[in-house]
Amino acid sequence: MATASGGSAVGGLASNHDGQEAASNSAQSGAAAGLSNVPASGGPARSASPPVHGLHREPMYNWQATKSSLKERFAFLFNNELLSDVRFIVGKGRQAQRIPAHKFVLAAGSAVFDAMFNGGMATTSTEIELPDVEPAAFLALLRFLYSDEVHIGPETVMTTLYTAKKYAVPALESHCVEFLTKHLRADNAFMLLTQARLFDEPQLASLCLETIDKSTADAINAEGFTDIDLDTLCAVLQRDTLSIRENRLFGAVVRWAEAECYRQQLPPTSENKQKVLGKALPLIRFPLMTVEEFAAGPAQSGILFDREVVNLFLHFTVNPKPRVDYIDRPRCCLRGEECSINRFQQVESRWGYSGTSDRIRFNVNRRISIVGFGLYGSIHGPTDYQVNIQILESDKRITLGQNDTGFSCDGTASTFRVMFKEPVEILPNVSYTACATLKGPDSHYGTKGLKKLTQESTTGTKTTFFFFSSPGNNNGTSVEDGQIPEIIYYT
């Protein structure tokens, strides 16, 4: 009986998932808690955890004639002893299940299985143990390989993601990430961020961080915040875009330190909190607090050394200010109302892409922070695009902000939000260029564009945009028609 564990390399293709294996067991319960009340992918008729016991079917004469397509024939063989030539013992102990499979189907869908059965170190065993894989997740993987059907839900999405990565099935991996992205909220952002970092899913991690930026207070008040690891905590504290007062952030960090002391079986003393915080403590921006906030919280917490408390009080109260070992750069907390302008009066089709950026120049009459663009999507129904967005200072040709990301559209003529990683500051009467390089099918586009557009916020603040065509290497966008219809900003 062969064993294929999470850290084995079959034919040099299987990834080492030592950290993932340890986390995959807890991921299932954590994801289920963080994604509660979320329906399973695939519609109400599909089960997130299909039955897996006793699936031995007797050979049926001429069963092939009852299946009208290749997909139906392969789907019939899923989890079926009929014609099977390999069996997997999946899971551990009493939870282990014996699952039949067909080497040809598995090898055709996964390079890891191909190496396992056909490579230079191919196994000759007809039974293979997979103690690190959850049976429901393995069945979800096999169902996808046999029929292209996706059966995932909050109970199984993280373990299915682990299994898809382990056996190099990126299409199923993408479905798992899409499921998580659709159900990302402030109250589960930290839990999903930890899993995204663990499973090396940068796009999901970026979306989690954007959610945390926008709803920091809600995110840190969620139960999952105190469960994150130290590296994830540091990654968040390093950000300039958290929308929260520093004293409230400090209070959340203290709660995390108390939880970490409990995990390490340490008494939650001030010294132990300081110890477990380690490299995270210098990332708290104490100089951003008022002297009253500092005195009421950090100064009395016992987490700072006495000399640090004295230096920070001096920093607050005297000039010239003494040097302190803490960052004093403001976090870009965007306050107030999100605004957007759409420069087109009509939408048409079609607009094609060949690798060249769509560009439009603009300037504004007042200082704003641009956080993203609204872009048109496909004329061919629901589609995913890859896109690079940029803002350049036109005259100096300096890139002020950019993001390599993607977006999903639903086939309508609506605009779809694509956001920068951090807000881009725009100064009045300076020429800027908005750029978007899309990779995907033909899309809608705007016409009857306006050269001047004034937007008034609910508070009465008026922002005027002036648009100009961008010469040179341009996919065709102009003042009159093209892409980049919408600019999303804060005043």
Side-chain angles (χ1 to χ4, degrees):
M1 183 181 295
T3 301
S5 64
S8 64
V10 182
L13 290 172
S15 301
N16 189 325
H17 290 279
D18 292 340
Q20 294 179 7
E21 177 181 350
S24 63
N25 294 328
S26 61
Q28 185 173 5
S29 59
L35 297 168
S36 58
N37 301 319
V38 172
S41 173
R46 298 180 178 181
S47 168
S49 301
V52 293
H53 298 288
L55 289 184
H56 175 82
R57 298 188 178 98
E58 294 297 330
M60 184 176 74
Y61 175 72
N62 200 23
W63 62 269
Q64 296 88 343
T66 68
K67 313 299 176 187
S68 60
S69 68
L70 179 66
K71 180 178 179 180
E72 287 186 11
R73 291 191 286 276
F74 273 80
F76 177 77
L77 295 175
F78 161 69
N79 200 19
N80 194 333
E81 294 282 357
L82 181 65
L83 302 179
S84 66
D85 53 0
V86 65
R87 289 150 191 85
F88 294 91
I89 310 301
V90 185
K92 296 179 181 179
R94 293 183 179 180
Q95 302 300 318
Q97 296 177 17
R98 187 173 183 270
I99 299 174
H102 306 77
K103 292 180 180 179
F104 170 76
V105 178
L106 271 57
S110 160
V112 176
F113 282 127
D114 190 20
M116 182 186 294
F117 301 131
N118 305 310
M121 299 177 64
T123 180
T124 58
S125 176
T126 57
E127 285 201 347
I128 299 170
E129 291 184 351
L130 304 177
D132 64 308
V133 177
E134 290 290 326
F138 192 70
L139 284 166
L141 174 73
L142 294 191
R143 186 186 296 273
F144 184 76
L145 294 180
Y146 278 78
S147 65
D148 285 335
E149 292 185 12
V150 179
H151 279 226
I152 52 177
E155 303 287 341
T156 58
V157 60
M158 295 309 307
T159 50
T160 302
L161 175 59
Y162 165 75
T163 307
K165 292 184 77 73
K166 174 181 171 69
Y167 292 105
V169 184
L172 180 58
E173 179 185 338
S174 296
H175 282 293
C176 292
V177 172
E178 180 183 4
F179 181 92
L180 292 168
T181 300
K182 285 182 178 178
H183 301 102
L184 172 63
R185 308 182 304 266
D187 62 357
N188 64 20
F190 274 108
M191 183 276 292
L192 293 181
L193 175 60
T194 299
Q195 301 300 333
R197 287 166 57 85
L198 176 66
F199 290 110
D200 190 26
E201 292 292 344
Q203 182 178 356
L204 177 59
S206 177
L207 291 171
C208 289
L209 288 169
E210 289 176 11
T211 300
I212 291 167
D213 284 345
K214 191 171 182 178
S215 305
T216 310
D218 292 336
I220 66 171
N221 286 330
E223 186 177 343
F225 170 72
T226 56
D227 296 329
I228 64 178
D229 60 274
L230 179 62
D231 286 340
T232 301
L233 178 65
C234 290
V236 172
L237 293 179
Q238 287 171 345
R239 295 179 69 77
D240 291 336
T241 47
L242 301 178
S243 54
I244 191 170
R245 293 288 303 174
E246 204 72 18
N247 62 315
R248 292 190 63 190
L249 185 61
F250 174 77
V253 170
V254 171
R255 283 194 294 111
W256 180 90
E258 291 170 351
E260 183 66 14
C261 285
Y262 178 78
R263 284 189 287 269
Q264 297 188 23
Q265 299 181 336
L266 297 171
T269 63
S270 299
E271 292 78 10
N272 285 335
K273 292 176 190 176
Q274 184 186 66
K275 176 182 176 182
V276 299
L277 281 171
K279 60 185 179 181
L281 189 57
L283 300 177
I284 301 172
R285 305 183 184 184
F286 296 106
L288 300 186
M289 300 180 187
T290 66
V291 64
E292 293 81 11
E293 290 170 341
F294 180 75
Q300 300 182 48
S301 67
I303 291 178
L304 297 173
F305 291 117
D306 289 345
R307 68 176 181 276
E308 293 175 312
V309 173
V310 171
N311 283 344
L312 282 164
F313 269 124
L314 292 173
H315 177 83
F316 290 126
T317 56
V318 302
N319 283 305
K321 298 184 182 299
R323 179 184 175 275
V324 292
D325 295 327
Y326 294 97
I327 302 168
D328 60 359
R329 183 175 66 253
R331 299 191 191 271
C332 185
C333 305
L334 297 177
R335 303 295 183 184
E337 178 187 7
E338 180 181 288
C339 304
S340 65
I341 56 102
N342 193 317
R343 62 193 187 91
F344 294 121
Q345 301 177 80
Q346 187 172 316
V347 181
E348 299 286 354
S349 60
R350 73 183 47 203
W351 197 261
Y353 303 98
S354 59
T356 303
S357 298
D358 282 281
R359 296 169 176 253
I360 188 71
R361 294 180 68 175
F362 68 96
N363 59 43
V364 294
N365 69 327
R366 66 192 315 276
R367 183 173 175 172
I368 62 172
S369 292
I370 292 179
V371 295
F373 300 148
L375 301 178
Y376 289 123
S378 173
I379 60 175
H380 302 294
T383 309
D384 292 331
Y385 283 84
Q386 294 298 311
V387 59
N388 172 272
I389 56 172
Q390 295 183 335
I391 291 182
L392 312 176
E393 188 172 338
S394 304
D395 295 334
K396 297 181 180 179
R397 297 185 179 179
I398 299 173
T399 301
L400 302 178
Q402 67 172 339
N403 193 15
D404 284 299
T405 182
F407 70 96
S408 299
C409 66
D410 59 10
T412 68
S414 304
T415 58
F416 300 90
R417 292 163 64 97
V418 183
M419 310 303 283
F420 289 100
K421 293 180 179 179
E422 297 181 351
V424 180
E425 184 181 57
I426 302 297
L427 300 177
N429 305 314
V430 176
S431 178
Y432 298 93
T433 302
C435 308
T437 309
L438 282 82
K439 183 177 181 181
D442 292 351
S443 74
H444 295 91
Y445 71 97
T447 62
K448 297 184 179 180
L450 300 172
K451 292 183 178 180
K452 178 182 176 181
L453 187 59
T454 298
Q455 174 77 31
E456 183 174 354
S457 69
T458 56
T459 60
T461 302
K462 292 185 179 181
T463 305
T464 301
F465 286 77
F466 303 89
F467 294 100
F468 311 89
S469 295
S470 181
N473 192 21
N474 191 336
N475 192 48
T477 285
S478 66
V479 173
E480 291 74 25
D481 53 29
Q483 255 287 10
I484 319 180
E486 189 174 15
I487 294 178
I488 306 166
Y489 66 98
Y490 284 76
T491 57

